[in-house]
Amino acid sequence: MIGISTLYCGNREPSDSLRYGRADAAPGGAPRPVVVWNVTRACNLRCAHCYTGSGSAPARRELATDEGLALLEDLARFGVPVVLFSGGEPLVRHDLVRLAKHAARLGMRAVLSTNGTLLDAQAARALKAAGVAYVGISLDGLRETNDAFRGVTGAFDRALAAVRHCRRAGLKVGLRFSLTRRNVKEIGAIFDLARAEKIPRLCFYHLAYSGRGSRLRGEDLSHAATRRAVDEIIQRTADLHAAGLSVEVLTVDNHADGPYLYLRMRREKHPRAEEALALLRRSGGNASGERIAAVAWDGSVHPDQFWRTATVGRVGDRTFAEIWSDRTSPLLAALRNRRLHLTGRCARCRFLDLCGGNLRARAEAATGDPWAPDPACYLTDKEIGLPRAKTKD
């Protein structure tokens, strides 16, 4: 995640300590990650860009309540700071509030990612009482655009109602917007909506080529369009800050945004440019297999929530702590020493310590090689410090 409001505007957010501070080493030398737990495959919508490819029914094998409670205890013992309950649609599970409450009681920050359509006033109050710290509601445009994405008429209105239910319950809420060609023109409208509804957080996600999202590769933004979108996000964030409005704004899943933001700040002679560079360096960019992990509905453990083809173990066979601390795992070892494995532009990029090689799942989906350059990197060779090719006289 690239904290535009923190880096560009100097805002300070509660999550900055996780984003820009290094986690302590866990037993075995592995860092303690934020864990995304996809608690179910079931979903009441069928979103075009769903990275899990979720459907109307649960998977044949999903962790039962007692298994989920045991998983949370394992994560807490390991020192996991945050558990993000996701899906499918996590509110499909009847025991979600119980699971979230258990996570909070164990001292972890419990957060929720939802499409919002099942989140009524009663559910908002129950989540607040359970100790849920934050709810991210997916909204990919205004009414017509969002409902086309979701495949269900009325999804926008129900999601917006969920935002209001959360605010009335005193539950921090934000929006999650996935950038594609079909909705990029509505970035400004989402900022306007956040301002009108007093929504304190906006996350703009670059498209991940995973699940049904892999079918949308042709709708991913071009490099030029990505630059324009990121520039608009930066400017709209600055406008909110200038108006005295405290809205946390982040971009997600394209770590080229960090160097791009820094280069823009340098051109503008921004007084916080070097501070931003230092924070980006501390963050280190993509942290798949290091400071981010995912547990699927069946207990399979992945380096991140998008890399569904890469499994490093299964809770139930071993504890999460044992899986994450296993020094014999070839993939985890490689991700924690990725400089030795990245190829092409990534290996020679002067911003590798800021970006971390970007999203490996996207590189593998596009090229078949998990160590190839991420095709979504939109920085030019000149920007990343590669020499110009010699030309013949």
Side-chain angles (χ1 to χ4, degrees), residues 8 15 20 43 73 79 89 297 345:
Y8 195 77
S15 56
Y20 303 116
C43 186
E73 290 165 8
E89 171 47 53
W297 40 76
R345 302 173 79 243

Side-chain angles (χ1 to χ4, degrees), residues 21-174:
R22 294 292 185 177
D24 294 334
R32 290 169 168 83
V34 169
V35 172
V36 178
W37 179 16
N38 299 103
V39 295
T40 183
R41 184 180 177 274
C43 186
N44 60 317
L45 303 183
R46 190 169 176 80
C47 303
H49 55 320
C50 175
Y51 70 82
T52 63
S54 293
S56 59
R60 186 174 61 178
R61 175 73 177 91
E62 296 189 351
L63 296 181
T65 301
D66 59 340
E67 294 173 305
L69 295 172
L71 169 63
L72 292 169
E73 290 165 8
D74 177 24
L75 298 179
R77 282 192 299 270
F78 190 57
V80 166
V82 179
V83 178
L84 190 158
F85 294 90
S86 188
E89 171 47 53
L91 286 168
V92 167
R93 280 193 67 136
H94 71 280
D95 58 355
L96 178 71
V97 171
R98 182 181 177 187
L99 294 170
K101 185 175 184 179
H102 196 57
R105 279 179 173 174
L106 291 167
M108 294 180 289
R109 188 169 187 262
V111 299
L112 177 66
S113 176
T114 174
N115 62 43
T117 61
L118 303 179
L119 207 168
D120 57 16
Q122 182 179 355
R125 290 192 296 269
L127 292 169
K128 174 65 176 179
V132 170
Y134 172 72
V135 175
I137 295 178
S138 297
L139 203 67
D140 293 303
L142 298 185
R143 185 173 288 104
E144 182 178 350
T145 302
N146 181 76
D147 289 2
F149 257 101
R150 307 289 160 191
V152 174
T153 301
F156 174 86
D157 291 325
R158 288 154 65 189
L160 186 56
V163 169
R164 294 167 178 168
H165 292 317
C166 287
R167 293 194 62 248
R168 292 187 190 109
L171 190 55
K172 184 178 179 181
V173 65

